[in-house]
Amino acid sequence: MAAVGPYGVHPGHALITMVEPHPGHEYAYNRWYEDDHYIAGAMAMPWMFAGRRWVATRELQLLRYPEKSAVARPVTAGCYLSTYWLTEGRYDEHMKWTVGINKRLNRDGRVYQDRTHVFTAFQDHAATVYRDGTAGPRDFHALDHPYAGLVLEVIDADGPERRAELLEWLRARHLPRRLAGSPAAMVTVFRPTPLPGDRMSYVKQVEGVDTRLTLLWFLQQDPREAWAAHFAGLAEEVGESGLGRVELVAPFLPTVPGTDRYVAELR
């Protein structure tokens, strides 16, 4: 695999997965993911070159909107978010590996069952918009840089034929305006791709493959400090554009690897 093919640094693809541990299993799920799955089920795989886990305490869950979300039902579901970058052009090779290793992990009893996948999808990179131009970390640094928070935003275009127009409006107008003077250093935008037919049975097929865009806002301060001023009105502005509708805006804090920090604050 190393001798031929792309091996650049651009995050051409991402795995974005939001999961809800079942009640009473929060500590066990966190330890399994931290101590085993994050490495054996993700970072040890070829072409997955960066990863970061995020958590939404109950306080953060209650900031989410819209109340009737096409992504999270209820909108508070999915208190853990994991984000991973994949090398551009290596999606197919990585996917073969990930399906194979997860089948093995499942067979070996190393997959935690008491959890629900709320929003899990591999995605293709569509755009990155920076607040400060060429200054500061790039998108390939984003999962290693010590950002203080992240906001996940999911937008559905008004039909497949409108998604390209929605993306261009986001990239050229909406995001530069929203980023200016905000605590967000960058926004990465992705398009979801369908999961393979031989995926694990506990992961549902991806919805909105032709219409959806997933945005990750990387914040330099706690999202609670910036919520009212910078994130509370995203749905209205997207709706007024006539190009789509916001289906989820959800803030997260970075987990502290190797610890159970925030687990007691999930419920």
Side-chain angles (χ1 to χ4, degrees), residues 27 55-58 80 222 224 253-256 259-267:
Y27 281 95
V55 60
T57 63
R58 186 63 180 171
Y80 281 106
D222 188 310
R224 290 167 291 193
L253 297 169
T255 62
V256 180
T259 76
D260 290 318
R261 189 172 179 183
Y262 301 117
V263 175
E265 302 174 48
L266 299 180
R267 308 299 183 198

mmCIF file of all heavy atoms in Angstrom, residues 27 55-58 80 222 224 253-256 259-267:
data_model
loop_
_atom_site.group_PDB
_atom_site.id
_atom_site.type_symbol
_atom_site.label_atom_id
_atom_site.label_comp_id
_atom_site.label_asym_id
_atom_site.label_seq_id
_atom_site.Cartn_x
_atom_site.Cartn_y
_atom_site.Cartn_z
ATOM 1 N N TYR A 27 -19.941 4.859 31.861
ATOM 2 C CA TYR A 27 -18.534 4.683 32.242
ATOM 3 C C TYR A 27 -17.899 3.531 31.472
ATOM 4 O O TYR A 27 -16.782 3.648 30.947
ATOM 5 C CB TYR A 27 -18.406 4.442 33.747
ATOM 6 C CG TYR A 27 -18.504 5.696 34.570
ATOM 7 C CD1 TYR A 27 -19.720 6.090 35.123
ATOM 8 C CD2 TYR A 27 -17.392 6.505 34.804
ATOM 9 C CE1 TYR A 27 -19.833 7.252 35.873
ATOM 10 C CE2 TYR A 27 -17.483 7.666 35.552
ATOM 11 C CZ TYR A 27 -18.708 8.036 36.087
ATOM 12 O OH TYR A 27 -18.813 9.184 36.820
ATOM 13 N N VAL A 55 -17.377 15.352 23.652
ATOM 14 C CA VAL A 55 -18.440 14.944 24.557
ATOM 15 C C VAL A 55 -19.404 16.101 24.773
ATOM 16 O O VAL A 55 -18.999 17.267 24.821
ATOM 17 C CB VAL A 55 -17.851 14.457 25.903
ATOM 18 C CG1 VAL A 55 -17.045 15.552 26.600
ATOM 19 C CG2 VAL A 55 -18.932 13.900 26.820
ATOM 20 N N ALA A 56 -20.684 15.758 24.889
ATOM 21 C CA ALA A 56 -21.710 16.750 25.206
ATOM 22 C C ALA A 56 -22.294 16.434 26.568
ATOM 23 O O ALA A 56 -22.992 15.426 26.734
ATOM 24 C CB ALA A 56 -22.813 16.738 24.150
ATOM 25 N N THR A 57 -21.988 17.267 27.555
ATOM 26 C CA THR A 57 -22.621 17.132 28.861
ATOM 27 C C THR A 57 -24.102 17.446 28.726
ATOM 28 O O THR A 57 -24.561 17.956 27.696
ATOM 29 C CB THR A 57 -21.984 18.100 29.864
ATOM 30 O OG1 THR A 57 -22.220 19.446 29.415
ATOM 31 C CG2 THR A 57 -20.483 17.858 29.988
ATOM 32 N N ARG A 58 -24.859 17.164 29.779
ATOM 33 C CA ARG A 58 -26.301 17.448 29.722
ATOM 34 C C ARG A 58 -26.555 18.935 29.453
ATOM 35 O O ARG A 58 -27.466 19.290 28.705
ATOM 36 C CB ARG A 58 -26.973 17.012 31.022
ATOM 37 C CG ARG A 58 -28.495 17.129 30.993
ATOM 38 C CD ARG A 58 -29.084 16.212 29.932
ATOM 39 N NE ARG A 58 -30.537 16.289 29.877
ATOM 40 C CZ ARG A 58 -31.282 15.722 28.941
ATOM 41 N NH1 ARG A 58 -30.695 15.021 27.974
ATOM 42 N NH2 ARG A 58 -32.590 15.828 28.957
ATOM 43 N N TYR A 80 -21.596 11.390 22.746
ATOM 44 C CA TYR A 80 -20.192 11.282 22.336
ATOM 45 C C TYR A 80 -20.079 11.415 20.821
ATOM 46 O O TYR A 80 -20.874 10.845 20.065
ATOM 47 C CB TYR A 80 -19.583 9.952 22.773
ATOM 48 C CG TYR A 80 -19.182 9.926 24.226
ATOM 49 C CD1 TYR A 80 -19.933 9.225 25.165
ATOM 50 C CD2 TYR A 80 -18.047 10.612 24.660
ATOM 51 C CE1 TYR A 80 -19.564 9.212 26.506
ATOM 52 C CE2 TYR A 80 -17.677 10.594 25.996
ATOM 53 C CZ TYR A 80 -18.440 9.896 26.915
ATOM 54 O OH TYR A 80 -18.074 9.888 28.241
ATOM 55 N N ASP A 222 -14.765 27.693 24.983
ATOM 56 C CA ASP A 222 -15.881 26.837 25.369
ATOM 57 C C ASP A 222 -17.130 27.251 24.593
ATOM 58 O O ASP A 222 -17.470 28.435 24.555
ATOM 59 C CB ASP A 222 -16.105 26.994 26.882
ATOM 60 C CG ASP A 222 -17.111 26.012 27.438
ATOM 61 O OD1 ASP A 222 -18.216 25.885 26.870
ATOM 62 O OD2 ASP A 222 -16.815 25.396 28.489
ATOM 63 N N ARG A 224 -20.182 27.118 25.273
ATOM 64 C CA ARG A 224 -21.207 27.775 26.084
ATOM 65 C C ARG A 224 -20.993 29.278 26.153
ATOM 66 O O ARG A 224 -21.954 30.047 26.258
ATOM 67 C CB ARG A 224 -21.201 27.170 27.495
ATOM 68 C CG ARG A 224 -21.713 25.741 27.547
ATOM 69 C CD ARG A 224 -21.420 25.062 28.852
ATOM 70 N NE ARG A 224 -19.991 24.801 29.014
ATOM 71 C CZ ARG A 224 -19.481 24.002 29.941
ATOM 72 N NH1 ARG A 224 -20.287 23.389 30.794
ATOM 73 N NH2 ARG A 224 -18.177 23.802 30.020
ATOM 74 N N LEU A 253 -17.471 19.450 23.854
ATOM 75 C CA LEU A 253 -16.158 19.722 24.431
ATOM 76 C C LEU A 253 -15.223 18.573 24.076
ATOM 77 O O LEU A 253 -15.675 17.434 23.881
ATOM 78 C CB LEU A 253 -16.257 19.825 25.956
ATOM 79 C CG LEU A 253 -17.103 20.953 26.534
ATOM 80 C CD1 LEU A 253 -17.309 20.740 28.033
ATOM 81 C CD2 LEU A 253 -16.458 22.300 26.261
ATOM 82 N N PRO A 254 -13.911 18.810 24.007
ATOM 83 C CA PRO A 254 -12.988 17.692 23.774
ATOM 84 C C PRO A 254 -12.907 16.805 25.007
ATOM 85 O O PRO A 254 -12.902 17.298 26.148
ATOM 86 C CB PRO A 254 -11.656 18.386 23.500
ATOM 87 C CG PRO A 254 -11.764 19.708 24.194
ATOM 88 C CD PRO A 254 -13.212 20.103 24.110
ATOM 89 N N THR A 255 -12.874 15.505 24.805
ATOM 90 C CA THR A 255 -12.629 14.611 25.928
ATOM 91 C C THR A 255 -11.167 14.740 26.361
ATOM 92 O O THR A 255 -10.333 15.279 25.638
ATOM 93 C CB THR A 255 -12.911 13.150 25.556
ATOM 94 O OG1 THR A 255 -12.019 12.754 24.506
ATOM 95 C CG2 THR A 255 -14.348 12.955 25.106
ATOM 96 N N VAL A 256 -10.876 14.230 27.536
ATOM 97 C CA VAL A 256 -9.499 14.176 28.025
ATOM 98 C C VAL A 256 -9.070 12.714 27.936
ATOM 99 O O VAL A 256 -9.536 11.880 28.722
ATOM 100 C CB VAL A 256 -9.385 14.700 29.471
ATOM 101 C CG1 VAL A 256 -7.939 14.635 29.945
ATOM 102 C CG2 VAL A 256 -9.922 16.126 29.562
ATOM 103 N N THR A 259 -9.182 9.373 30.575
ATOM 104 C CA THR A 259 -9.902 9.742 31.795
ATOM 105 C C THR A 259 -11.400 9.546 31.593
ATOM 106 O O THR A 259 -11.877 9.332 30.473
ATOM 107 C CB THR A 259 -9.657 11.217 32.172
ATOM 108 O OG1 THR A 259 -10.439 12.069 31.309
ATOM 109 C CG2 THR A 259 -8.188 11.579 32.049
ATOM 110 N N ASP A 260 -12.144 9.655 32.698
ATOM 111 C CA ASP A 260 -13.600 9.622 32.660
ATOM 112 C C ASP A 260 -14.189 11.011 32.922
ATOM 113 O O ASP A 260 -15.324 11.137 33.371
ATOM 114 C CB ASP A 260 -14.137 8.645 33.707
ATOM 115 C CG ASP A 260 -13.833 7.202 33.338
ATOM 116 O OD1 ASP A 260 -13.972 6.848 32.148
ATOM 117 O OD2 ASP A 260 -13.443 6.426 34.233
ATOM 118 N N ARG A 261 -13.427 12.037 32.586
ATOM 119 C CA ARG A 261 -13.917 13.391 32.776
ATOM 120 C C ARG A 261 -15.202 13.609 31.967
ATOM 121 O O ARG A 261 -15.281 13.190 30.832
ATOM 122 C CB ARG A 261 -12.845 14.406 32.359
ATOM 123 C CG ARG A 261 -13.204 15.832 32.722
ATOM 124 C CD ARG A 261 -12.052 16.771 32.465
ATOM 125 N NE ARG A 261 -12.405 18.145 32.796
ATOM 126 C CZ ARG A 261 -11.605 19.195 32.615
ATOM 127 N NH1 ARG A 261 -10.378 19.014 32.122
ATOM 128 N NH2 ARG A 261 -11.999 20.399 32.926
ATOM 129 N N TYR A 262 -16.163 14.239 32.572
ATOM 130 C CA TYR A 262 -17.472 14.596 32.026
ATOM 131 C C TYR A 262 -18.482 13.441 32.038
ATOM 132 O O TYR A 262 -19.675 13.690 31.800
ATOM 133 C CB TYR A 262 -17.368 15.111 30.577
ATOM 134 C CG TYR A 262 -16.477 16.326 30.424
ATOM 135 C CD1 TYR A 262 -15.309 16.280 29.656
ATOM 136 C CD2 TYR A 262 -16.789 17.536 31.055
ATOM 137 C CE1 TYR A 262 -14.500 17.375 29.502
ATOM 138 C CE2 TYR A 262 -15.991 18.662 30.912
ATOM 139 C CZ TYR A 262 -14.837 18.575 30.130
ATOM 140 O OH TYR A 262 -14.030 19.671 29.983
ATOM 141 N N VAL A 263 -18.062 12.206 32.285
ATOM 142 C CA VAL A 263 -19.009 11.095 32.240
ATOM 143 C C VAL A 263 -20.132 11.296 33.261
ATOM 144 O O VAL A 263 -21.309 11.020 32.966
ATOM 145 C CB VAL A 263 -18.304 9.735 32.471
ATOM 146 C CG1 VAL A 263 -19.308 8.607 32.533
ATOM 147 C CG2 VAL A 263 -17.295 9.485 31.363
ATOM 148 N N ALA A 264 -19.819 11.815 34.430
ATOM 149 C CA ALA A 264 -20.835 12.032 35.451
ATOM 150 C C ALA A 264 -21.787 13.167 35.109
ATOM 151 O O ALA A 264 -22.794 13.353 35.801
ATOM 152 C CB ALA A 264 -20.155 12.317 36.804
ATOM 153 N N GLU A 265 -21.491 13.914 34.041
ATOM 154 C CA GLU A 265 -22.319 15.067 33.678
ATOM 155 C C GLU A 265 -23.176 14.812 32.446
ATOM 156 O O GLU A 265 -23.776 15.727 31.879
ATOM 157 C CB GLU A 265 -21.427 16.281 33.416
ATOM 158 C CG GLU A 265 -20.553 16.678 34.588
ATOM 159 C CD GLU A 265 -19.585 17.798 34.226
ATOM 160 O OE1 GLU A 265 -20.048 18.792 33.638
ATOM 161 O OE2 GLU A 265 -18.385 17.656 34.520
ATOM 162 N N LEU A 266 -23.293 13.556 32.025
ATOM 163 C CA LEU A 266 -24.019 13.240 30.791
ATOM 164 C C LEU A 266 -25.527 13.203 30.983
ATOM 165 O O LEU A 266 -26.284 13.399 30.022
ATOM 166 C CB LEU A 266 -23.547 11.896 30.224
ATOM 167 C CG LEU A 266 -22.078 11.805 29.846
ATOM 168 C CD1 LEU A 266 -21.756 10.411 29.310
ATOM 169 C CD2 LEU A 266 -21.692 12.869 28.829
ATOM 170 N N ARG A 267 -25.986 12.925 32.183
ATOM 171 C CA ARG A 267 -27.438 12.747 32.418
ATOM 172 C C ARG A 267 -27.999 13.852 33.308
ATOM 173 O O ARG A 267 -27.287 14.423 34.103
ATOM 174 C CB ARG A 267 -27.714 11.388 33.058
ATOM 175 C CG ARG A 267 -27.098 10.214 32.314
ATOM 176 C CD ARG A 267 -27.619 10.073 30.916
ATOM 177 N NE ARG A 267 -27.073 8.898 30.220
ATOM 178 C CZ ARG A 267 -27.099 8.757 28.909
ATOM 179 N NH1 ARG A 267 -27.637 9.687 28.135
ATOM 180 N NH2 ARG A 267 -26.592 7.666 28.344
#
